[in-house]
Amino acid sequence: MAHISFHEAYMQVPVVTRTYATACLFTTLAVQLEVISPFQIYFNPELIFKEYQLWRLITNFLFFGKLEFNFFFNMLFLYRYCRMLEEGSFRGRTADFVFMFILGGTAMTLVAFFVNLVFLGQAFTIMLVYIWSRRNPYVRMSFFGVITFRAPYLPWVLIGFSIMLGNSIIVDAIGVACGHIYYFLEDAFPEQPAGFKILHTPRILKYLFDPPPDADEYATLPEAERPGGFAWGQADNGPPLEDGGDEHGGENQ
């Protein structure tokens, strides 16, 4: 296999995943190096609407805490599941993917007005995991090689893992709730007998983000590197399931 430089590998990551993951990494590093303070970027409605510090509406999604286990765990999940969504069900539909980001971020921001949350990046990551899991219902996964389950149970396994670590599940619950709202409006309701499509991506986003039909600017992950690949939460690409579902194929804080 030809050697691929870091820059080439980086540019092969689809644009939304690349941009968001990079922004999260640099924001966290800037805080760690004390270039900026967490107090300058956390979600604070009073400072946003009275002092017009509008950047807080975005920066609170970009910080995962100190460079510790929780940070790397969230970054891993963010990268893998954001990329798999962008390369999978949103492939060639970058505008729709950006619209999902906007809807999810808006929903979480509204929730943050009523609960005491100052950073929403972790909830956003769980939302991405939830949507991916619902769109890949026949994927079999394993967690730490101890339990096996299908992808739709992954968010609940992660919530259980958070409880084991003594973390609050409020953030995860918000991510699951916002993910379910999007999944219901975009995937479930339109398929009902009297259903219809509710979410429509604005034309301006399609103009800005959707490439020409024949454009293909990035490479997908090799099958062996898709879902899972970790001893503590990997997919099982075993024989077909009894109900004939397709399989491809792990996790959180």
Side-chain angles (χ1 to χ4, degrees):
M1 179 180 296
H3 174 71
I4 299 178
S5 68
F6 173 79
H7 179 264
E8 291 173 326
Y10 176 74
M11 295 306 296
Q12 285 180 355
V13 178
V15 62
V16 177
T17 301
R18 182 172 70 235
T19 301
Y20 184 42
T22 301
C24 291
L25 177 61
F26 276 92
T27 300
T28 302
L29 288 176
V31 172
Q32 188 73 19
L33 297 174
E34 299 184 352
V35 176
I36 59 176
S37 165
F39 296 104
Q40 296 175 294
I41 60 176
Y42 76 98
F43 181 79
N44 185 317
E46 184 173 346
L47 293 177
I48 291 172
F49 295 106
K50 291 186 178 180
E51 301 294 331
Y52 304 107
Q53 297 181 10
L54 300 181
W55 65 83
R56 294 176 183 270
L57 292 170
I58 298 176
T59 55
N60 79 90
F61 287 96
L62 306 180
F63 182 63
F64 290 112
K66 297 180 180 179
L67 294 178
E68 298 174 348
F69 176 77
N70 195 58
F71 166 76
F72 292 106
F73 204 76
N74 277 285
M75 284 299 297
L76 174 64
F77 273 83
L78 164 65
Y79 170 76
R80 293 187 66 80
Y81 290 96
C82 189
R83 179 170 183 173
M84 285 190 291
L85 274 175
E86 192 170 0
E87 292 179 331
S89 58
F90 286 99
R91 183 174 180 83
R93 299 167 51 220
T94 302
D96 294 339
F97 197 45
V98 172
F99 189 48
M100 185 203 74
F101 266 56
I102 294 174
L103 291 176
T106 300
M108 291 179 192
T109 299
L110 293 175
V111 172
F113 279 101
F114 303 99
V115 296
N116 187 26
L117 289 177
V118 294
F119 291 107
L120 296 169
Q122 182 174 309
F124 197 85
T125 299
I126 291 296
M127 183 191 77
L128 296 175
V129 171
Y130 182 89
I131 295 172
W132 176 87
S133 70
R134 294 303 299 266
R135 289 186 169 183
N136 295 270
Y138 301 113
V139 174
R140 292 192 304 182
M141 319 188 81
S142 66
F143 194 71
F144 286 105
V146 176
I147 58 175
T148 59
F149 52 91
R150 291 189 181 183
Y153 293 101
L154 176 58
W156 310 109
V157 171
L158 296 181
I159 288 178
F161 187 54
S162 290
I163 294 175
M164 290 175 57
L165 294 178
N167 298 330
S168 171
I169 65 171
I170 294 178
V171 175
D172 292 355
I174 291 173
V176 168
C178 292
H180 183 73
I181 291 172
Y182 178 84
Y183 171 78
F184 177 79
L185 295 178
E186 178 68 11
D187 296 359
F189 181 74
E191 298 300 321
Q192 301 302 312
F196 55 91
K197 186 170 178 60
I198 298 176
L199 303 180
H200 298 276
T201 302
R203 291 185 179 181
I204 183 64
L205 293 181
K206 289 185 175 292
Y207 174 78
L208 292 174
F209 294 102
D210 279 350
D214 59 344
D216 188 6
E217 299 179 352
Y218 58 83
T220 59
L221 286 171
E223 284 296 325
E225 297 180 15
R226 280 180 174 267
F230 305 96
W232 34 265
Q234 68 185 75
D236 179 359
N237 293 321
L241 300 173
E242 293 181 2
D243 55 12
D246 293 335
E247 300 186 29
H248 329 297
E251 331 54 346
N252 173 35
Q253 49 251 33

